[in-house]
Amino acid sequence: MRLTDKQCSIEDAIARIQDGATVMLGGFGVPGTPFALIRALVRHGARDLTVIKNDANEPDMGVDHLLRSGQVARLITTHLGLNGHAIDLMNKGRIKVEFNAQGILAERIRAGGAGIGGFLSDIGIGTELAEGKRMIEFGGKTHVIEPALRADVALLHAARADSFGNLAYAATARNFNPLMAMAADCVIVEAEAVLSLGALDANDIHTPGVFVDHVTELAALSEEYAVVQR
Amino acid sequence: MRLTDKQCSIEDAIARIQDGATVMLGGFGVPGTPFALIRALVRHGARDLTVIKNDANEPDMGVDHLLRSGQVARLITTHLGLNGHAIDLMNKGRIKVEFNAQGILAERIRAGGAGIGGFLSDIGIGTELAEGKRMIEFGGKTHVIEPALRADVALLHAARADSFGNLAYAATARNFNPLMAMAADCVIVEAEAVLSLGALDANDIHTPGVFVDHVTELAALSEEYAVVQR
Amino acid sequence: MSNANDRLAARAAREIRPGMVVNLGIGLPTRVVNHLPGDFPVCLHAENGLTGIGPTLPPDRADRNLIDAGGAYVSTIPGSAFFDSATSFAMVRSGRLDLTMLGAFEVAANGDLANWKIPGKFSPGVGGGIELAQKARRVVVLTTHTDRAGNPKLTECCTLPLTARGCVRRIFTDLAVIDVKPDGFHLIETAQGVSVAEIKEATGAPLIVSETPLPSF
Amino acid sequence: MSNANDRLAARAAREIRPGMVVNLGIGLPTRVVNHLPGDFPVCLHAENGLTGIGPTLPPDRADRNLIDAGGAYVSTIPGSAFFDSATSFAMVRSGRLDLTMLGAFEVAANGDLANWKIPGKFSPGVGGGIELAQKARRVVVLTTHTDRAGNPKLTECCTLPLTARGCVRRIFTDLAVIDVKPDGFHLIETAQGVSVAEIKEATGAPLIVSETPLPSF
């Protein structure tokens, strides 16, 4: 037995994304954001997208390119604090924004990846975060039902991959990437290095390649990854 | 800042377990089963235990020692196929056995570790596995509500640990161990080696030490870990 | 009998398409791997936490920490990955398993499968079987056509507790290959030297047989 | 003012007991770490996926992949671990966080906290704050006693959207340390040179003051 090779070009992978698609984007702030895949999605031009990402990066960076090109109809996120432009679009009604508690967003995505319909949580009860959500009494406690989240496509950034799509992330660039890898029908990964099979220790793989559909090696690291004074 | 040292003796750690406690045991078959901690629990003698483990090991091995000593009132598990003695006790009504689908048991434990109340699943609907479970319509589908599982104590086996309790498992000895590490009020780990802080790469830790309360280095590997013809 | 089972395993191996992720259940299904070419592109999944199962190993070469879900000492191949039990079943339930091959006590003409419990006789627990049967994209069964007493295992309805409803798409037996379609069992191949009449006789439900000659295996 | 904030951060640092797992929110709480002895036994948690936060680093020494939840380039210490966002909040929600220090727009006398939204003015999203506030075993607030306009931030009731109900146990301000108990705010320490009358004046809810002299910080 041998494992298949899932390498393809960024353009071929991104070409699969259709108008109206739901797209998950890895990353928390800069680390783990798939900047090259996002640029390709801007070039590709698919519109009316629902984007799921922890944050909206910063002005003129990552997610913000998709906002400026008018491709995003809806953003499911946790915090836009570093991108005033995104907040402005939200306040003007140009994009719909759904805020989730950060760990609840992570857990909803993981639930989608785990093939379950949702989960019971007491987070946000008594605050406006729980308003409009279905409540249930279970095990002697009140819970909200948080629905699982899945996407048509997940765009991820990994430090190292192999040709089957096994992935390893670096430091805090891991964040939402392994969760989204589980939760999309088509998982596309940009990797800083794509290694031969066996180069990653089977014990140290963060995302098993079974979850991954396409992997592409970055010719150069996106400029956004340069360390800057923030 | 520095991280605390959580090393202690097996006896001191196990002494915390009280009669009536719920105890999770890592392992799938032999790999990952905490044989030394189980032996200490037999010596300790706590009774009326609810044990949660994927399986009951084999006759005269691991869980079976606890069954023979009469310490187990209830077993939450997925499959007893390799332990006819456990099946016999079940059929005679000497222990109560609750069977879960394997992935549902894993997910219920993880849910306990994630601090959520339970989750929605369609597994087992239309079979006797779903009988008696609360059902709910959600998102246009019928689900059963699977309650989260937590334990008073989890007993785990790791290949390598550091003194803070960061853990790495070997190969398929991982199985339920990292899930149970999240889901118990007191997590006790036997490790084949306890290394100094920093010896485990921060990227390759399977269970962060924050989840772990006590870690103990095995003086010798339990005889059950010898490779035998099965 | 062993010859017949080998032939059935060899036939079932052709069910596996290049690039699939496949889980092989305990028993007959495990033998299928012996009938794949050594460099066949497939990813075998073991629900105890391994993708990329390599050949089984004798005890003197085994890794004590490396078993499949049936407890056999196995090996890795380049690109294998280890993971926990929740991640393993996340793969199964979220549709990343293209195919599973399972054993059976009974398969009904509507695709119902019973393979985990015989009340009063055999009740070791369901293990991972229920999720494999319910969630793999394609479920096929490998089984002897009749039980040891000669009773059919392919029946109108299951009498034993179900593993999953309507899940089975194809059945490989020592006598035949049978598809499960909305209108019931369809005979699509016969074992060499076995007549259609013999197969009908051994099947506990109507068998739809096309007019055209069937291939044999 | 900066002096006062340093003093408040130094006082709050004494809240951290050896061996605790602690999450320090963005802003004032982050400064607390500067007031811990270099070898103090504590595990700092960053909700973006790190336990064992080490000192912040200047850009020329930073790792581009290693930030805290506020986006600052940080470092590791021996025993640090990285993990995904679901695992990170599993730690929080399952009770493995001994203490969190948060900022506040308003804290009510019943422990209600508002710190994430000012309708019409400031609505960047709640981030991880709600789970920290609701699930850390102990929640303390670090804040200026009044807002820039001089209005009290410690009030009878919160008027802004809540982060979590009844979660705050202790408040560290530039003027005082105040405990939140079932019967309301209890003054337990005063900043040097600040009178109890001044503190009462700056507090928007009744302040319970014991007869015995209070320590100052």
Side-chain angles (χ1 to χ4, degrees), chain A residues 30-32 170-173 227, chain B residues 202, chain D residues 46 48-57 61-69 71-77 80-82:
Chain A
V30 167
T172 59
V227 168
Chain D
N48 57 322
L50 166 63
T51 43
I53 308 176
T56 53
L57 296 178
R61 290 176 50 215
D63 174 344
R64 64 183 164 85
N65 288 312
L66 182 40
I67 62 172
D68 66 14
Y73 292 116
V74 294
S75 56
T76 56
I77 59 175
S80 291
F82 299 119

PDB file of all heavy atoms in Angstrom, chain A residues 30-32 170-173 227, chain B residues 202, chain D residues 46 48-57 61-69 71-77 80-82:
ATOM      1  N   VAL A  30      -2.130  37.071  12.451  1.00  0.00           N
ATOM      2  CA  VAL A  30      -1.303  36.670  11.307  1.00  0.00           C
ATOM      3  C   VAL A  30      -0.963  35.169  11.306  1.00  0.00           C
ATOM      4  O   VAL A  30      -1.195  34.491  10.301  1.00  0.00           O
ATOM      5  CB  VAL A  30      -0.008  37.523  11.254  1.00  0.00           C
ATOM      6  CG1 VAL A  30       1.001  36.904  10.287  1.00  0.00           C
ATOM      7  CG2 VAL A  30      -0.351  38.957  10.836  1.00  0.00           C
ATOM      8  N   PRO A  31      -0.449  34.616  12.400  1.00  0.00           N
ATOM      9  CA  PRO A  31       0.026  33.221  12.309  1.00  0.00           C
ATOM     10  C   PRO A  31      -1.070  32.248  11.887  1.00  0.00           C
ATOM     11  O   PRO A  31      -2.170  32.257  12.430  1.00  0.00           O
ATOM     12  CB  PRO A  31       0.506  32.923  13.741  1.00  0.00           C
ATOM     13  CG  PRO A  31       0.885  34.272  14.289  1.00  0.00           C
ATOM     14  CD  PRO A  31      -0.142  35.219  13.719  1.00  0.00           C
ATOM     15  N   GLY A  32      -0.764  31.445  10.906  1.00  0.00           N
ATOM     16  CA  GLY A  32      -1.696  30.431  10.444  1.00  0.00           C
ATOM     17  C   GLY A  32      -2.682  30.909   9.401  1.00  0.00           C
ATOM     18  O   GLY A  32      -3.508  30.130   8.932  1.00  0.00           O
ATOM     19  N   ALA A 170       3.258  25.392  13.081  1.00  0.00           N
ATOM     20  CA  ALA A 170       4.322  25.924  13.924  1.00  0.00           C
ATOM     21  C   ALA A 170       3.735  26.800  15.027  1.00  0.00           C
ATOM     22  O   ALA A 170       2.965  27.728  14.750  1.00  0.00           O
ATOM     23  CB  ALA A 170       5.297  26.741  13.089  1.00  0.00           C
ATOM     24  N   ALA A 171       4.090  26.477  16.254  1.00  0.00           N
ATOM     25  CA  ALA A 171       3.772  27.313  17.420  1.00  0.00           C
ATOM     26  C   ALA A 171       2.298  27.720  17.433  1.00  0.00           C
ATOM     27  O   ALA A 171       1.419  26.881  17.222  1.00  0.00           O
ATOM     28  CB  ALA A 171       4.704  28.527  17.467  1.00  0.00           C
ATOM     29  N   THR A 172       2.018  29.016  17.639  1.00  0.00           N
ATOM     30  CA  THR A 172       0.622  29.453  17.734  1.00  0.00           C
ATOM     31  C   THR A 172      -0.020  29.668  16.366  1.00  0.00           C
ATOM     32  O   THR A 172      -1.148  30.163  16.284  1.00  0.00           O
ATOM     33  CB  THR A 172       0.483  30.740  18.575  1.00  0.00           C
ATOM     34  OG1 THR A 172       1.261  31.776  17.986  1.00  0.00           O
ATOM     35  CG2 THR A 172       0.924  30.508  20.004  1.00  0.00           C
ATOM     36  N   ALA A 173       0.640  29.290  15.304  1.00  0.00           N
ATOM     37  CA  ALA A 173       0.004  29.265  13.984  1.00  0.00           C
ATOM     38  C   ALA A 173      -0.949  28.079  13.850  1.00  0.00           C
ATOM     39  O   ALA A 173      -1.636  27.943  12.842  1.00  0.00           O
ATOM     40  CB  ALA A 173       1.056  29.224  12.883  1.00  0.00           C
ATOM     41  N   VAL A 227       8.129  39.623  10.437  1.00  0.00           N
ATOM     42  CA  VAL A 227       7.915  40.162  11.780  1.00  0.00           C
ATOM     43  C   VAL A 227       7.964  41.678  11.700  1.00  0.00           C
ATOM     44  O   VAL A 227       8.893  42.247  11.136  1.00  0.00           O
ATOM     45  CB  VAL A 227       9.004  39.663  12.748  1.00  0.00           C
ATOM     46  CG1 VAL A 227       8.959  40.447  14.049  1.00  0.00           C
ATOM     47  CG2 VAL A 227       8.818  38.176  13.018  1.00  0.00           C
TER      48      VAL A 227
ATOM     49  N   ALA B 202       7.596  21.688  22.239  1.00  0.00           N
ATOM     50  CA  ALA B 202       6.279  22.277  22.522  1.00  0.00           C
ATOM     51  C   ALA B 202       5.273  21.999  21.404  1.00  0.00           C
ATOM     52  O   ALA B 202       4.070  21.995  21.642  1.00  0.00           O
ATOM     53  CB  ALA B 202       6.409  23.783  22.733  1.00  0.00           C
TER      54      ALA B 202
ATOM     55  N   ALA D  46      -2.328  31.495  27.065  1.00  0.00           N
ATOM     56  CA  ALA D  46      -2.792  32.397  26.006  1.00  0.00           C
ATOM     57  C   ALA D  46      -3.835  31.642  25.202  1.00  0.00           C
ATOM     58  O   ALA D  46      -3.559  30.538  24.715  1.00  0.00           O
ATOM     59  CB  ALA D  46      -1.636  32.821  25.101  1.00  0.00           C
ATOM     60  N   ASN D  48      -4.970  31.727  22.361  1.00  0.00           N
ATOM     61  CA  ASN D  48      -4.705  31.335  20.970  1.00  0.00           C
ATOM     62  C   ASN D  48      -3.885  30.049  20.866  1.00  0.00           C
ATOM     63  O   ASN D  48      -3.603  29.609  19.754  1.00  0.00           O
ATOM     64  CB  ASN D  48      -4.036  32.473  20.194  1.00  0.00           C
ATOM     65  CG  ASN D  48      -2.741  32.939  20.822  1.00  0.00           C
ATOM     66  OD1 ASN D  48      -2.619  32.997  22.038  1.00  0.00           O
ATOM     67  ND2 ASN D  48      -1.764  33.267  20.006  1.00  0.00           N
ATOM     68  N   GLY D  49      -3.520  29.450  22.017  1.00  0.00           N
ATOM     69  CA  GLY D  49      -2.960  28.114  21.933  1.00  0.00           C
ATOM     70  C   GLY D  49      -1.586  27.894  22.529  1.00  0.00           C
ATOM     71  O   GLY D  49      -0.747  27.208  21.943  1.00  0.00           O
ATOM     72  N   LEU D  50      -1.365  28.463  23.720  1.00  0.00           N
ATOM     73  CA  LEU D  50      -0.050  28.363  24.346  1.00  0.00           C
ATOM     74  C   LEU D  50      -0.199  28.322  25.857  1.00  0.00           C
ATOM     75  O   LEU D  50      -0.926  29.139  26.432  1.00  0.00           O
ATOM     76  CB  LEU D  50       0.800  29.587  23.938  1.00  0.00           C
ATOM     77  CG  LEU D  50       2.086  29.878  24.701  1.00  0.00           C
ATOM     78  CD1 LEU D  50       3.098  28.753  24.555  1.00  0.00           C
ATOM     79  CD2 LEU D  50       2.709  31.201  24.227  1.00  0.00           C
ATOM     80  N   THR D  51       0.440  27.349  26.497  1.00  0.00           N
ATOM     81  CA  THR D  51       0.646  27.421  27.943  1.00  0.00           C
ATOM     82  C   THR D  51       2.139  27.563  28.203  1.00  0.00           C
ATOM     83  O   THR D  51       2.948  26.921  27.528  1.00  0.00           O
ATOM     84  CB  THR D  51       0.127  26.161  28.673  1.00  0.00           C
ATOM     85  OG1 THR D  51       0.511  25.001  27.940  1.00  0.00           O
ATOM     86  CG2 THR D  51      -1.380  26.212  28.831  1.00  0.00           C
ATOM     87  N   GLY D  52       2.467  28.390  29.200  1.00  0.00           N
ATOM     88  CA  GLY D  52       3.872  28.670  29.469  1.00  0.00           C
ATOM     89  C   GLY D  52       4.354  29.844  28.646  1.00  0.00           C
ATOM     90  O   GLY D  52       5.346  29.742  27.908  1.00  0.00           O
ATOM     91  N   ILE D  53       3.654  30.977  28.742  1.00  0.00           N
ATOM     92  CA  ILE D  53       4.090  32.179  28.022  1.00  0.00           C
ATOM     93  C   ILE D  53       5.379  32.683  28.651  1.00  0.00           C
ATOM     94  O   ILE D  53       5.466  32.827  29.868  1.00  0.00           O
ATOM     95  CB  ILE D  53       3.030  33.303  28.102  1.00  0.00           C
ATOM     96  CG1 ILE D  53       1.654  32.794  27.680  1.00  0.00           C
ATOM     97  CG2 ILE D  53       3.442  34.498  27.238  1.00  0.00           C
ATOM     98  CD1 ILE D  53       0.549  33.841  27.829  1.00  0.00           C
ATOM     99  N   GLY D  54       6.363  32.943  27.815  1.00  0.00           N
ATOM    100  CA  GLY D  54       7.600  33.551  28.286  1.00  0.00           C
ATOM    101  C   GLY D  54       7.587  35.035  27.983  1.00  0.00           C
ATOM    102  O   GLY D  54       6.597  35.578  27.478  1.00  0.00           O
ATOM    103  N   PRO D  55       8.680  35.712  28.300  1.00  0.00           N
ATOM    104  CA  PRO D  55       8.756  37.178  28.112  1.00  0.00           C
ATOM    105  C   PRO D  55       8.459  37.603  26.668  1.00  0.00           C
ATOM    106  O   PRO D  55       8.714  36.856  25.727  1.00  0.00           O
ATOM    107  CB  PRO D  55      10.210  37.495  28.477  1.00  0.00           C
ATOM    108  CG  PRO D  55      10.623  36.398  29.394  1.00  0.00           C
ATOM    109  CD  PRO D  55       9.900  35.172  28.914  1.00  0.00           C
ATOM    110  N   THR D  56       7.914  38.812  26.517  1.00  0.00           N
ATOM    111  CA  THR D  56       7.712  39.374  25.180  1.00  0.00           C
ATOM    112  C   THR D  56       9.077  39.683  24.575  1.00  0.00           C
ATOM    113  O   THR D  56      10.051  39.950  25.276  1.00  0.00           O
ATOM    114  CB  THR D  56       6.872  40.658  25.226  1.00  0.00           C
ATOM    115  OG1 THR D  56       7.480  41.553  26.150  1.00  0.00           O
ATOM    116  CG2 THR D  56       5.453  40.359  25.681  1.00  0.00           C
ATOM    117  N   LEU D  57       9.118  39.643  23.240  1.00  0.00           N
ATOM    118  CA  LEU D  57      10.391  39.814  22.539  1.00  0.00           C
ATOM    119  C   LEU D  57      10.307  40.996  21.586  1.00  0.00           C
ATOM    120  O   LEU D  57       9.256  41.260  21.001  1.00  0.00           O
ATOM    121  CB  LEU D  57      10.720  38.550  21.738  1.00  0.00           C
ATOM    122  CG  LEU D  57      10.955  37.278  22.546  1.00  0.00           C
ATOM    123  CD1 LEU D  57      11.225  36.112  21.613  1.00  0.00           C
ATOM    124  CD2 LEU D  57      12.127  37.465  23.514  1.00  0.00           C
ATOM    125  N   ARG D  61      14.111  39.772  17.637  1.00  0.00           N
ATOM    126  CA  ARG D  61      14.306  38.449  18.240  1.00  0.00           C
ATOM    127  C   ARG D  61      13.031  37.613  18.205  1.00  0.00           C
ATOM    128  O   ARG D  61      12.989  36.508  18.727  1.00  0.00           O
ATOM    129  CB  ARG D  61      14.791  38.608  19.680  1.00  0.00           C
ATOM    130  CG  ARG D  61      16.232  39.145  19.782  1.00  0.00           C
ATOM    131  CD  ARG D  61      16.619  39.368  21.231  1.00  0.00           C
ATOM    132  NE  ARG D  61      16.345  38.213  22.057  1.00  0.00           N
ATOM    133  CZ  ARG D  61      15.934  38.267  23.330  1.00  0.00           C
ATOM    134  NH1 ARG D  61      15.741  39.434  23.913  1.00  0.00           N
ATOM    135  NH2 ARG D  61      15.721  37.156  24.025  1.00  0.00           N
ATOM    136  N   ALA D  62      11.972  38.145  17.591  1.00  0.00           N
ATOM    137  CA  ALA D  62      10.675  37.476  17.655  1.00  0.00           C
ATOM    138  C   ALA D  62      10.594  36.281  16.716  1.00  0.00           C
ATOM    139  O   ALA D  62      11.300  36.207  15.707  1.00  0.00           O
ATOM    140  CB  ALA D  62       9.574  38.470  17.313  1.00  0.00           C
ATOM    141  N   ASP D  63       9.715  35.328  17.071  1.00  0.00           N
ATOM    142  CA  ASP D  63       9.325  34.214  16.201  1.00  0.00           C
ATOM    143  C   ASP D  63       7.997  34.624  15.562  1.00  0.00           C
ATOM    144  O   ASP D  63       7.026  34.889  16.267  1.00  0.00           O
ATOM    145  CB  ASP D  63       9.159  32.959  17.063  1.00  0.00           C
ATOM    146  CG  ASP D  63       8.605  31.762  16.280  1.00  0.00           C
ATOM    147  OD1 ASP D  63       8.058  31.934  15.164  1.00  0.00           O
ATOM    148  OD2 ASP D  63       8.714  30.642  16.810  1.00  0.00           O
ATOM    149  N   ARG D  64       7.949  34.670  14.228  1.00  0.00           N
ATOM    150  CA  ARG D  64       6.746  35.164  13.547  1.00  0.00           C
ATOM    151  C   ARG D  64       5.510  34.328  13.843  1.00  0.00           C
ATOM    152  O   ARG D  64       4.381  34.786  13.659  1.00  0.00           O
ATOM    153  CB  ARG D  64       6.971  35.213  12.033  1.00  0.00           C
ATOM    154  CG  ARG D  64       7.202  33.860  11.402  1.00  0.00           C
ATOM    155  CD  ARG D  64       7.503  33.950   9.908  1.00  0.00           C
ATOM    156  NE  ARG D  64       8.076  32.722   9.415  1.00  0.00           N
ATOM    157  CZ  ARG D  64       7.369  31.666   9.025  1.00  0.00           C
ATOM    158  NH1 ARG D  64       6.056  31.700   9.078  1.00  0.00           N
ATOM    159  NH2 ARG D  64       7.975  30.583   8.601  1.00  0.00           N
ATOM    160  N   ASN D  65       5.705  33.097  14.294  1.00  0.00           N
ATOM    161  CA  ASN D  65       4.567  32.214  14.570  1.00  0.00           C
ATOM    162  C   ASN D  65       4.173  32.167  16.042  1.00  0.00           C
ATOM    163  O   ASN D  65       3.318  31.379  16.435  1.00  0.00           O
ATOM    164  CB  ASN D  65       4.884  30.794  14.109  1.00  0.00           C
ATOM    165  CG  ASN D  65       4.893  30.678  12.599  1.00  0.00           C
ATOM    166  OD1 ASN D  65       3.971  31.150  11.936  1.00  0.00           O
ATOM    167  ND2 ASN D  65       5.951  30.094  12.059  1.00  0.00           N
ATOM    168  N   LEU D  66       4.807  33.001  16.849  1.00  0.00           N
ATOM    169  CA  LEU D  66       4.613  32.875  18.294  1.00  0.00           C
ATOM    170  C   LEU D  66       4.115  34.189  18.887  1.00  0.00           C
ATOM    171  O   LEU D  66       4.899  35.098  19.191  1.00  0.00           O
ATOM    172  CB  LEU D  66       5.934  32.425  18.945  1.00  0.00           C
ATOM    173  CG  LEU D  66       5.947  32.184  20.440  1.00  0.00           C
ATOM    174  CD1 LEU D  66       4.693  31.485  20.932  1.00  0.00           C
ATOM    175  CD2 LEU D  66       7.175  31.387  20.829  1.00  0.00           C
ATOM    176  N   ILE D  67       2.783  34.277  19.011  1.00  0.00           N
ATOM    177  CA  ILE D  67       2.169  35.470  19.591  1.00  0.00           C
ATOM    178  C   ILE D  67       1.249  35.062  20.735  1.00  0.00           C
ATOM    179  O   ILE D  67       0.878  33.900  20.864  1.00  0.00           O
ATOM    180  CB  ILE D  67       1.352  36.270  18.547  1.00  0.00           C
ATOM    181  CG1 ILE D  67       0.193  35.436  17.996  1.00  0.00           C
ATOM    182  CG2 ILE D  67       2.260  36.751  17.416  1.00  0.00           C
ATOM    183  CD1 ILE D  67      -0.772  36.215  17.098  1.00  0.00           C
ATOM    184  N   ASP D  68       0.898  36.049  21.567  1.00  0.00           N
ATOM    185  CA  ASP D  68      -0.140  35.788  22.554  1.00  0.00           C
ATOM    186  C   ASP D  68      -1.476  36.255  21.980  1.00  0.00           C
ATOM    187  O   ASP D  68      -1.552  36.732  20.837  1.00  0.00           O
ATOM    188  CB  ASP D  68       0.188  36.434  23.905  1.00  0.00           C
ATOM    189  CG  ASP D  68       0.183  37.948  23.860  1.00  0.00           C
ATOM    190  OD1 ASP D  68      -0.319  38.550  22.881  1.00  0.00           O
ATOM    191  OD2 ASP D  68       0.698  38.569  24.814  1.00  0.00           O
ATOM    192  N   ALA D  69      -2.537  36.146  22.768  1.00  0.00           N
ATOM    193  CA  ALA D  69      -3.870  36.435  22.244  1.00  0.00           C
ATOM    194  C   ALA D  69      -4.052  37.914  21.928  1.00  0.00           C
ATOM    195  O   ALA D  69      -4.960  38.292  21.195  1.00  0.00           O
ATOM    196  CB  ALA D  69      -4.936  35.959  23.224  1.00  0.00           C
ATOM    197  N   GLY D  71      -1.699  39.556  20.361  1.00  0.00           N
ATOM    198  CA  GLY D  71      -0.890  39.787  19.183  1.00  0.00           C
ATOM    199  C   GLY D  71       0.554  40.145  19.472  1.00  0.00           C
ATOM    200  O   GLY D  71       1.332  40.382  18.548  1.00  0.00           O
ATOM    201  N   ALA D  72       0.942  40.177  20.738  1.00  0.00           N
ATOM    202  CA  ALA D  72       2.338  40.509  21.082  1.00  0.00           C
ATOM    203  C   ALA D  72       3.238  39.309  20.800  1.00  0.00           C
ATOM    204  O   ALA D  72       2.847  38.161  21.024  1.00  0.00           O
ATOM    205  CB  ALA D  72       2.428  40.891  22.549  1.00  0.00           C
ATOM    206  N   TYR D  73       4.425  39.590  20.288  1.00  0.00           N
ATOM    207  CA  TYR D  73       5.407  38.524  20.111  1.00  0.00           C
ATOM    208  C   TYR D  73       5.915  38.108  21.481  1.00  0.00           C
ATOM    209  O   TYR D  73       6.475  38.911  22.219  1.00  0.00           O
ATOM    210  CB  TYR D  73       6.582  39.012  19.255  1.00  0.00           C
ATOM    211  CG  TYR D  73       6.201  39.292  17.817  1.00  0.00           C
ATOM    212  CD1 TYR D  73       6.270  40.573  17.297  1.00  0.00           C
ATOM    213  CD2 TYR D  73       5.776  38.262  16.985  1.00  0.00           C
ATOM    214  CE1 TYR D  73       5.930  40.835  15.966  1.00  0.00           C
ATOM    215  CE2 TYR D  73       5.430  38.508  15.661  1.00  0.00           C
ATOM    216  CZ  TYR D  73       5.508  39.793  15.164  1.00  0.00           C
ATOM    217  OH  TYR D  73       5.168  40.034  13.866  1.00  0.00           O
ATOM    218  N   VAL D  74       5.669  36.832  21.815  1.00  0.00           N
ATOM    219  CA  VAL D  74       6.118  36.332  23.107  1.00  0.00           C
ATOM    220  C   VAL D  74       7.107  35.191  22.889  1.00  0.00           C
ATOM    221  O   VAL D  74       7.492  34.892  21.756  1.00  0.00           O
ATOM    222  CB  VAL D  74       4.917  35.871  23.970  1.00  0.00           C
ATOM    223  CG1 VAL D  74       4.035  37.056  24.355  1.00  0.00           C
ATOM    224  CG2 VAL D  74       4.104  34.792  23.250  1.00  0.00           C
ATOM    225  N   SER D  75       7.508  34.571  23.964  1.00  0.00           N
ATOM    226  CA  SER D  75       8.472  33.478  23.868  1.00  0.00           C
ATOM    227  C   SER D  75       7.952  32.297  24.685  1.00  0.00           C
ATOM    228  O   SER D  75       6.893  32.380  25.299  1.00  0.00           O
ATOM    229  CB  SER D  75       9.833  33.944  24.395  1.00  0.00           C
ATOM    230  OG  SER D  75       9.700  34.432  25.716  1.00  0.00           O
ATOM    231  N   THR D  76       8.683  31.215  24.651  1.00  0.00           N
ATOM    232  CA  THR D  76       8.311  30.045  25.459  1.00  0.00           C
ATOM    233  C   THR D  76       9.258  29.951  26.655  1.00  0.00           C
ATOM    234  O   THR D  76      10.264  30.652  26.738  1.00  0.00           O
ATOM    235  CB  THR D  76       8.420  28.751  24.634  1.00  0.00           C
ATOM    236  OG1 THR D  76       9.744  28.656  24.108  1.00  0.00           O
ATOM    237  CG2 THR D  76       7.415  28.749  23.491  1.00  0.00           C
ATOM    238  N   ILE D  77       8.905  29.073  27.568  1.00  0.00           N
ATOM    239  CA  ILE D  77       9.775  28.718  28.673  1.00  0.00           C
ATOM    240  C   ILE D  77       9.908  27.197  28.664  1.00  0.00           C
ATOM    241  O   ILE D  77       9.148  26.521  27.965  1.00  0.00           O
ATOM    242  CB  ILE D  77       9.215  29.205  30.032  1.00  0.00           C
ATOM    243  CG1 ILE D  77       7.823  28.587  30.285  1.00  0.00           C
ATOM    244  CG2 ILE D  77       9.107  30.734  30.052  1.00  0.00           C
ATOM    245  CD1 ILE D  77       7.252  28.937  31.665  1.00  0.00           C
ATOM    246  N   SER D  80       6.740  24.728  27.936  1.00  0.00           N
ATOM    247  CA  SER D  80       5.627  25.314  27.176  1.00  0.00           C
ATOM    248  C   SER D  80       5.007  24.272  26.255  1.00  0.00           C
ATOM    249  O   SER D  80       5.685  23.339  25.819  1.00  0.00           O
ATOM    250  CB  SER D  80       6.126  26.480  26.311  1.00  0.00           C
ATOM    251  OG  SER D  80       6.501  27.573  27.112  1.00  0.00           O
ATOM    252  N   ALA D  81       3.720  24.473  25.953  1.00  0.00           N
ATOM    253  CA  ALA D  81       3.035  23.581  25.012  1.00  0.00           C
ATOM    254  C   ALA D  81       2.160  24.401  24.081  1.00  0.00           C
ATOM    255  O   ALA D  81       1.571  25.399  24.495  1.00  0.00           O
ATOM    256  CB  ALA D  81       2.186  22.557  25.768  1.00  0.00           C
ATOM    257  N   PHE D  82       2.088  23.964  22.827  1.00  0.00           N
ATOM    258  CA  PHE D  82       1.183  24.563  21.841  1.00  0.00           C
ATOM    259  C   PHE D  82       0.003  23.616  21.597  1.00  0.00           C
ATOM    260  O   PHE D  82       0.159  22.395  21.654  1.00  0.00           O
ATOM    261  CB  PHE D  82       1.900  24.791  20.511  1.00  0.00           C
ATOM    262  CG  PHE D  82       3.074  25.731  20.615  1.00  0.00           C
ATOM    263  CD1 PHE D  82       4.359  25.304  20.302  1.00  0.00           C
ATOM    264  CD2 PHE D  82       2.886  27.039  21.037  1.00  0.00           C
ATOM    265  CE1 PHE D  82       5.441  26.169  20.396  1.00  0.00           C
ATOM    266  CE2 PHE D  82       3.963  27.911  21.130  1.00  0.00           C
ATOM    267  CZ  PHE D  82       5.242  27.477  20.812  1.00  0.00           C
TER     268      PHE D  82
END
